[in-house]
C-alpha cells in the first residue's frame, strides 16, 4: 500500500472485503512456516529481569515450534551503548542458558543496509525526501496537533521539486487504519491519521531506530516479535514501514511488563537489578531464576515447577496473561529451592565457595574449607533456598575456635546450661562413629535422663556449636563439625 490512495469501488465491494482491503494487517502464519524469534536488547545497561523474561519467551517459542531464536544487539545509539553493557547482556543470557541459533547481530554494523532499504522505499513510493526546515516541521506539527491528527509533510506527494537543502527521509504514513493482530493483546487498531510521517533517515543519513528494527527483523527472517508492551505503539508504525517496503510484517506479541511486589512498575526502588545481581548477590541458580521468570505472566495451566526446557515443550502465547506480572521474591526463592535440592553437590560447593569469596571478605576461611563445604552440601541444600543461604549456613563450621558468640548465644549459655553441656560431653565423646542420627538420638536420651525438655538443651548446645550463626539441626550440626571440633567447641564453654 505504501500510502497510495486506496480507491475501492464501493459499489462493487462487499463491506467486509472493503474493510479488509483498507487495513494493513500483520501476516498470518501459514502452517509450514519456519518460526524465527529474536531478543533485541539495547545495550545501555545490564540485562534486567524483564529483558531476561522476554528472551526466555522468545527462546521457548522458537524451541516449541522447532524454529530459530536469534539475538540482535541494538547498539545504534552509540552515545548510550557501552561495551560493558554488551558484555553484561551476553554473560547474563549465557548464564541463563539461552543459546542462540546464530551469532548475535550488531545493529550498528548495518547502517548501509538500512539506508539502502530506505532508498528502496522512496523508489516504491512508500517513503520520500523531506526538505522541511526545523521551523517548518514545528509549524506542521502545531497545525496537525490543532487538527487532532499526526504530522504530514508537504513533501510526501513528491510534487515539490528537490533542492540542495538538506533532507531527511520520511515514511509516507498510511491513510488507512493499521491493525496489529497482536498474539497477546488481540487486535490493536491505530488510525492512519495518528501515524506521522516519521523519519527513517536523518539529515546526516543515519537510520532511525524505527527503520533499523524493521529492516533487521525482515532481513533476519523474524516471524514473531515477542517483546514488552512498552513497544505496543511502535508496532503500528513498524507495520506501516513494512508496508512501505513491500514486506510482510511479522506477528507481534506484546507481553505485559513486570511490576514490583507492591504492584508499581518495576524500578530501581524495587532493586530492579541486572541478572548478575540475582546470581552474584542473591545467589540464585540460573535454572531457578529462569523457571520463575517463565511463570511471570505465563502459565501452563497447573502449578508444577517446570524447567525452561520442559516449559518450552508446552509454551503457548495464548496463555500469556494480559495483566502485569508481579515480582514475588518468596516464590522465586521457593522455585530456586526446588532446583537447589536437585543440583549437583560438587557444583553447589563451587558456587558456595565463589559466593563466600565474593561476598564475605571478613570471613577467615580455613585451608580445609573446600572439603568441608563439599561434605556439608547434601545436608545444607535440603534446607537452603539460595547459594547465599548455603554460604550463610556454612559459616558455623568454617569459623575457627574460640567462636565469637552473638548476644543470643551468650544469653543461652547460663551457668546451669554450661554445666549441662559438661555432663553431655562424655556421652557424646563415647560416639566413635559420629553419625548424625545416632547423635540426635543421644541428645534425646540425655534430656530424658536430665529430666528436662529439649528446650533446655537445644539453645545452649546450638550456641556452643555455632556461636549463634545459622546451622542445621543439632545432630547434623554435630556431624558436620566432626567429632574433634564439636567436642572442643563444647569444652570451650566449660
Ligand atoms: N531494543 C529495544 C529495547 O531494548 C527492543 C526492540 C524490540 O524488541 O523491537 O527495548
Amino acid at each position: 500500500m505504501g500510502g497510495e490512495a486506496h480507491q475501492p469501488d464501493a459499489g462493487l465491494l462487499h463491506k467486509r472485503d472493503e474493510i479488509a482491503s483498507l487495513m494493513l494487517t500483520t501476516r498470518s502464519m501459514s502452517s509450514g512456516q519456519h518460526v524465527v524469534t529474536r531478543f533485541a536488547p539495547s545495550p545501555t545497561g545490564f540485562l534486567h529481569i524483564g529483558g531476561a523474561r522476554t528472551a526466555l519467551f522468545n527462546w521457548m517459542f522458537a524451541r516449541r515450534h522447532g524454529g530459530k531464536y536469534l539475538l540482535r544487539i541494538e547498539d545504534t545509539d552509540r552515545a548510550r551503548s557501552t561495551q560493558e553493557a554488551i558484555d553484561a547482556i551476553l554473560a547474563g543470557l549465557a548464564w541463563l542458558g539461552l543459546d542462540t541459533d546464530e551469532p548475535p547481530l550488531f545493529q550498528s554494523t548495518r547502517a548501509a543496509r538500512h539506508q539502502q532499504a530506505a532508498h528502496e522505499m522512496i523508489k516504491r513510493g512508500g517513503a520520500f525526501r523531506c526538505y522541511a526546515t526545523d521551523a517548518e516541521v514545528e509549524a506542521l506539527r502545531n497545525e496537525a496537533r490543532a487538527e487532532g491528527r499526526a504530522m504530514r509533510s508537504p513533501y510526501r506527494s513528491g510534487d515539490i521539486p528537490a533542492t540542495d537543502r538538506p533532507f531527511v527521509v520520511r515514511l509516507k504514513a498510511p491513510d488507512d487504519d493499521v491493525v496489529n493482530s497482536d498474539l497477546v493483546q488481540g487486535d490493536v487498531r491505530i488510525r492512519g491519521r495518528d501515524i506521522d510521517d516519521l523519519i527513517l533517515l536523518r539529515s546526516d543519513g543515519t537510520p532511525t531506530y524505527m527503520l533499523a528494527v524493521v529492516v533487521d527483523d525482515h532481513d533476519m527472517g523474524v516471524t514473531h516479535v515477542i517483546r514488552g508492551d512498552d513497544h505496543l505503539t511502535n508496532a503500528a508504525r513498524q507495520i506501516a514501514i513494512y508496508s512501505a517496503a513491500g514486506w510482510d510484517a511479522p506477528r507481534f506479541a506484546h507481553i505485559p511488563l513486570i511490576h514490583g511486589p507492591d504492584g508499581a512498575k518495576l524500578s530501581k526502588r524495587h532493586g530492579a537489578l541486572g541478572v548478575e545481581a540475582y546470581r552474584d548477590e542473591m545467589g540464585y541458580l540460573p535454572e531457578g531464576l529462569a523457571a520463575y521468570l517463565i511463570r511471570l505472566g505465563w502459565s501452563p495451566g497447573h502449578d508444577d515447577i517446570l524447567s525452561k526446557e520442559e516449559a518450552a515443550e508446552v509454551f503457548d502465547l495464548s496463555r500469556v496473561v494480559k495483566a502485569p506480572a508481579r515480582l514475588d521474591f518468596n516464590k522465586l526463592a521457593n522455585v530456586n529451592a526446588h532446583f537447589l535440592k536437585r543440583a549437583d553437590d560438587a557444583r553447589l560447593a563451587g558456587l558456595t565457595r565463589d559466593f563466600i569469596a565474593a561476598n564475605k571478605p571478613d570471613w577467615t576461611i580455613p585451608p580445609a574449607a573446600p572439603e568441608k563445604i563439599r561434605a556439608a552440601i547434601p545436608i545444607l541444600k535440603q534446607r537452603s533456598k539460595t547459594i547465599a543461604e548455603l554460604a550463610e549456613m556454612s559459616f558455623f563450621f568454617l569459623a575457627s575456635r574460640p567462636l565469637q558468640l552473638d548476644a543470643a548465644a551468650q544469653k543461652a549459655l547460663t551457668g546451669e546450661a554450661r554445666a549441662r553441656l559438661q555432663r553431655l560431653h562424655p556421652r557424646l565423646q563415647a560416639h566413635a562413629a559420629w553419625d548424625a542420627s545416632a547423635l540426635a538420638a543421644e541428645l534425646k536420651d540425655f534430656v530424658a535422663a536430665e529430666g528436662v525438655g529439649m528446650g533446655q538443651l537445644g539453645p545452649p548446645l546450638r550456641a556452643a556449636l555455632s556461636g549463634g550463626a545459622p546451622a542445621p539441626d543439632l545432630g547434623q550440626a554435630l556431624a558436620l563439625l566432626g567429632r574433634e571440633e564439636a567436642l572442643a567447641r563444647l569444652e570451650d564453654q566449660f
Side-chain angles (χ1 to χ4, degrees):
M1 104 135 259
E4 285 156 50
H6 182 87
Q7 294 163 338
D9 183 340
L12 292 177
L13 278 172
H14 186 272
K15 184 81 181 148
R16 269 182 49 200
D17 295 341
E18 183 184 342
I19 290 170
S21 70
L22 282 168
M23 298 186 313
L24 301 176
T25 48
T26 45
R27 79 176 149 206
S28 55
M29 200 174 115
S30 61
S31 49
Q33 193 183 355
H34 189 61
V35 165
V36 180
T37 65
R38 76 347 182 236
F39 175 50
S42 304
T44 54
F46 42 46
L47 176 66
H48 56 86
I49 55 164
R53 184 190 57 156
T54 300
L56 276 160
F57 279 22
N58 278 288
W59 182 90
M60 290 193 292
F61 190 78
R63 293 288 168 270
R64 167 86 164 84
H65 294 281
K68 282 202 277 188
Y69 159 72
L70 307 177
L71 175 64
R72 181 172 72 239
I73 303 290
E74 302 210 310
D75 56 348
T76 32
D77 185 346
R78 301 305 281 173
R80 294 178 62 225
S81 303
T82 65
Q83 187 58 44
E84 204 186 347
I86 294 172
D87 294 343
I89 290 168
L90 294 178
L93 293 171
W95 178 65
L96 286 167
L98 293 171
D99 44 313
T100 57
D101 293 299
E102 284 173 20
L105 185 82
F106 289 83
Q107 193 161 61
S108 61
T109 63
R110 295 183 33 87
R113 166 63 182 142
H114 300 149
Q115 285 156 355
Q116 179 203 22
H119 288 289
E120 276 166 22
M121 283 181 222
I122 298 176
K123 279 195 209 126
R124 299 187 78 254
F128 61 94
R129 291 183 180 81
C130 174
Y131 297 88
T133 60
D134 289 351
E136 283 164 348
V137 170
E138 180 62 23
L140 290 167
R141 280 201 191 289
N142 290 338
E143 188 187 315
R145 204 170 298 132
E147 290 174 20
R149 57 171 175 82
M151 198 274 282
R152 292 283 190 267
S153 160
Y155 293 90
R156 70 195 321 262
S157 62
D159 295 345
I160 304 175
T163 73
D164 292 339
R165 292 216 316 252
F167 63 88
V168 297
V169 175
R170 288 184 186 274
L171 168 77
K172 197 168 177 182
D175 296 321
D176 306 326
D177 289 1
V178 173
V179 175
N180 164 25
S181 298
D182 200 274
L183 292 166
V184 172
Q185 310 285 336
D187 278 2
V188 182
R189 178 185 295 254
I190 308 273
R191 294 181 308 175
R193 55 184 280 136
D194 292 332
I195 300 176
D196 61 0
D197 285 350
L198 55 90
I199 297 178
L200 300 173
L201 294 180
R202 301 184 190 91
S203 55
D204 64 359
T206 56
T208 57
Y209 162 73
M210 214 58 92
L211 173 68
V213 169
V214 168
V215 176
D216 289 349
D217 279 338
H218 172 261
D219 289 1
M220 290 162 80
V222 171
T223 59
H224 292 78
V225 170
I226 305 170
R227 62 187 177 190
D229 66 9
D230 49 336
H231 287 284
L232 183 61
T233 53
N234 285 342
R237 296 187 177 87
Q238 289 165 4
I239 291 170
I241 298 173
Y242 279 100
S243 177
W247 298 332
D248 284 339
R251 293 302 300 269
F252 291 92
H254 287 92
I255 55 179
L257 299 181
I258 300 176
H259 285 196
D262 59 359
K265 234 178 107 173
L266 202 61
S267 69
K268 291 219 177 71
R269 195 161 49 80
H270 298 106
L273 305 160
V275 293
E276 70 275 11
Y278 287 78
R279 177 189 64 198
D280 301 337
E281 290 161 37
M282 296 178 250
Y284 291 106
L285 294 175
E287 60 269 40
L289 183 61
Y292 173 69
L293 288 178
I294 60 184
R295 300 300 278 268
L296 263 186
W298 174 77
S299 164
H302 57 74
D303 287 335
D304 295 353
I305 295 174
L306 300 179
S307 68
K308 70 179 192 305
E309 289 75 15
E310 289 164 341
E313 285 173 25
V314 293
F315 185 73
D316 182 356
L317 286 169
S318 68
R319 284 188 176 273
V320 173
V321 254
K322 279 199 213 171
R326 269 192 205 199
L327 199 58
D328 179 337
F329 281 97
N330 285 333
K331 256 193 210 153
L332 169 55
N334 287 335
V335 172
N336 199 68
H338 171 91
F339 290 95
L340 202 74
K341 283 186 182 60
R342 287 159 180 74
D344 175 72
D345 293 338
R347 172 184 170 218
L348 293 179
L351 291 172
T352 304
R353 287 204 310 273
D354 293 348
F355 191 92
I356 292 172
N359 294 283
K360 307 289 180 188
D362 52 330
W363 288 14
T364 349
I365 301 298
E371 298 87 71
K372 287 188 177 188
I373 293 172
R374 174 65 187 79
I377 292 293
I379 289 158
L380 299 188
K381 76 177 184 180
Q382 298 305 328
R383 58 198 71 234
S384 303
K385 292 182 170 167
T386 60
I387 300 294
E389 287 183 18
L390 282 180
E392 294 299 339
M393 279 253 220
S394 299
F395 179 76
F396 88 97
F397 62 80
L398 296 178
S400 41
R401 298 177 35 238
L403 295 188
Q404 309 254 13
L405 304 183
D406 70 14
Q410 284 175 30
K411 211 168 151 223
L413 285 163
T414 59
E416 197 190 338
R418 289 172 196 267
R420 183 163 286 127
L421 293 183
Q422 207 161 350
R423 292 195 292 281
L424 173 66
H425 186 272
R427 296 182 70 139
L428 293 182
Q429 203 170 24
H431 283 255
W434 209 251
D435 165 75
S437 42
L439 291 165
E442 183 67 65
L443 298 180
K444 274 198 188 140
D445 289 351
F446 174 69
V447 289
E450 293 266 308
V452 295
M454 197 51 106
Q456 304 298 111
L457 176 68
L461 179 56
R462 188 170 277 282
L465 295 178
S466 80
D473 65 55
L474 290 166
Q476 273 162 342
L478 284 164
L480 285 180
L481 284 168
R483 184 168 179 273
E484 198 185 327
E485 175 75 14
L487 292 172
R489 288 188 185 195
L490 285 192
E491 287 155 24
D492 288 343
Q493 304 309 329
F494 296 170

